[in-house]
Structure formats: C-alpha cells, structure tokens
Amino acid sequence: MNQGYLQTLKSIETEDWLDLHVVRPACYYLAKFFAWLDWHPNTVTIWSMVFGVVSAFFFACGCFYYEGIHGLVMNIIGIMLLVNADILDCTDGQLARLTGKKSHLGRILDGVAGFIWFIPIYLAIVWRFYWHHDIEFAWLGISDTPENTMVATAVVFVLAVISGFYGMGAQQRMADYFIQVHLFFLRGEGDSELDNSRRQQQLYDQLGNAPWYEYWFQKLYLDYTRAQEKSTPQLQRLLAVLREKYGRASAMPEQVRREFHDSSLRIIKWNGLLTFNFRSFWFFLFCLLDVPALNFLFEIFAMGLLCRYVTHRYERLSQNIIGNL
C-alpha cells in the first residue's frame, strides 16, 4: 500500500475491509485534493454534516412500494448523499493527518457529526411512517384509521428517540472510544486521541470570554467523554491503576501494553460492526424495502446487544489485567 496513504490512517487494525480497501483510499485522494485547495479539515467536516442533513429530505419519501420509480430514485439519492457524508467525515481526519492541521474543535466536530446527520434523518423517517405505513399495519392487523395512525406514529417517534440517543448515538460513541483505547495501547498517548472528562472539564473552565458556540461544543464533548467513562468503570479503574503505579498510564510496561493490545485485536473487529458501514447497510435496506421504522428496532435490540458484548469484553479484559498488575 502507498506509504503516504497509510500515514493518513489511524491504524490498519481499526479499519474494516471496506474502509481499508475502498473508502479510505478514496478519502486519501480527496484529502490530497482538499490539501491542494488549502481547505481546513473542519470545513470538510461541516460539509459532511450538510450532505447528511440534506439526505433527510430524500429519505422522507416512500420507496418503490409506495411511490414507484420516483420514490426509489429519491431513496437512492438519499443513500448517495449519506454515503458522501460518511466519505467526507472520513476524509477530514485523513486531511488533518496529511497536513498536520489538527485541532481540538476538529476532534469535537468529528465526534458530533454523526449525531447531527441522524437527528433530521430519524425525524424524516417518523414523518415517512405517518404517511406510509400500510405494510406495518398489515403485519400487525391494525386498521388504517386516523386515530391508529397517530398512536402508531407516536410509538415510532419514541422508538426514534430511543434509537437515536440511546441506540445509535450511544453505540457510535462507544465504538469511537474503543478505537481510541486500542490506539492508546498500540501507540501510546501521543498517537491516540483518547480523551478524558477531567481534561475536558479543565478546557471548559478555561474558555473565559469565548463565543457561546465554543461553550456549547465543549459542553457537548465533555458530556460525550463522561458518558464513555461511565459505561466502562473497569477500564477507567485500569487507567487509574496505571497512572498511580507508573506515574502516567502511557508509561506502563511493554508487557502490559502488549497483553491489552493482543486481546483487543480480537475485540476490535466486533467493534467495527458498530460503525457506519454495517449499520448503514441495514438502514439502507429497510428504506429500500419501505419499512424504515424497523431500523429503530434493529438499532435498539440487535446493535444494542452487540455494543453490550463489545463493552463487556473490554471490561473483562481490563479487570483481568488489573488482577495481574
């Protein structure tokens, strides 16, 4: 593989096959193009948000079953826009590593980009269900009356909220965290983006007379890191033990680093299923089959179980290493 391309990746170990051989190479050439234009990575991130938000309009349309060829085309455009949003979201990081234009704001924007896409997309799916629900009502044996439509749409809205904030949002937050943890034990503190809430609280307290939007973004990221730490008490305990025993966590012995890394390699592939490629395949499939509301159930239950499994594996690994120290 091209050495310049490899240097723009976080790590080969944390990329799935599709990203490594298709998405990331395309992003690399896009990053070189944006570097030639002298674009800042944050500009690319913002454009990814724009593409993701605009895709919601196209996903709000029923697909072939309800709206024929027009609906199919609209959904395919939505898919293409969301795929482009993901490509740009991947490109910003590679552009930052290619040009050295890394920033704290960029890290925050990268963390919240997916949430900003999916809020309007999930609302669009609820709107779509309100108008197009014949398939689901037929499955459940529900009469298509205005009253039943309102009740069912309210239920789908609740599922969308659970799926968005406690499903997809929480799952991608943990997937990102486990990637950074893996990189921390692979390369050390300098080459990972592993953050902690203590540091983010300090940055928040030091904002002073900064504009309101900096406070808002920093508060979002502070809550983001707190939620990651709250979900991984044993991992936080391991990092605390390493800091106490060796002065800082990154000063751990090579044996400890290798033990965590080698075990993490067997988990990180499962973690990759929590990221965009796998979950978006199912979302696109449900949309094309004209039952997009089923994606909420898939996110909550199937992806929720996968996230719990990955978290449990990392917690057990952390607990085992603490016992060996």
Side-chain angles (χ1 to χ4, degrees), residues 209-280:
N209 295 322
W212 66 268
Y213 57 84
E214 288 192 28
Y215 274 95
W216 185 71
F217 275 118
Q218 184 60 37
K219 183 62 167 62
L220 279 178
Y221 196 57
L222 172 59
D223 293 341
Y224 185 83
T225 54
R226 280 176 174 166
Q228 289 172 329
E229 293 169 355
K230 185 178 179 181
S231 298
T232 53
Q234 294 303 318
L235 178 55
Q236 304 314 309
R237 185 172 161 231
L238 171 61
L239 294 173
V241 169
L242 292 174
R243 285 193 297 268
E244 181 180 352
K245 196 173 181 68
Y246 304 107
R248 65 182 192 277
S250 57
M252 73 189 85
E254 182 60 27
Q255 179 182 353
V256 175
R257 186 190 308 278
R258 188 166 56 250
E259 180 183 356
F260 190 101
H261 168 261
D262 292 349
S263 297
S264 178
L265 267 179
R266 296 189 288 271
I267 311 171
I268 204 69
K269 303 304 180 184
W270 291 101
N271 187 67
L273 297 178
L274 294 170
T275 56
F276 180 84
N277 292 339
F278 182 71
R279 69 171 64 247
S280 64

Side-chain angles (χ1 to χ4, degrees), residues 151-164:
V151 171
T153 303
V155 170
V156 169
F157 176 78
V158 171
L159 290 175
V161 171
I162 296 172
S163 175

Side-chain angles (χ1 to χ4, degrees), residues 111-123 125-126 155-174 224 279 283 293 295-301 303:
V112 303
F115 298 99
I116 292 175
W117 302 344
F118 277 96
I119 289 174
I121 289 174
Y122 279 22
L123 289 176
I125 295 304
V126 175
V155 170
V156 169
F157 176 78
V158 171
L159 290 175
V161 171
I162 296 172
S163 175
F165 290 98
Y166 302 102
M168 183 275 297
Q171 293 155 15
Q172 291 203 314
R173 179 175 63 226
M174 296 313 301
Y224 185 83
R279 69 171 64 247
F283 174 67
N295 184 70
F296 300 144
L297 296 175
F298 177 78
E299 292 272 6
I300 294 168
F301 295 104
M303 297 298 286

Side-chain angles (χ1 to χ4, degrees), residues 11 74 181:
S11 168
M74 292 290 279
V181 168

Side-chain angles (χ1 to χ4, degrees), residues 7 29 86 98 100 147 177 186 189 255 275 286 297 306 318:
Q7 290 175 351
Y29 289 107
D86 179 64
L98 181 67
E147 293 78 11
Y177 188 58
L186 171 64
E189 196 166 18
Q255 179 182 353
T275 56
F286 288 133
L297 296 175
L306 177 60
S318 301

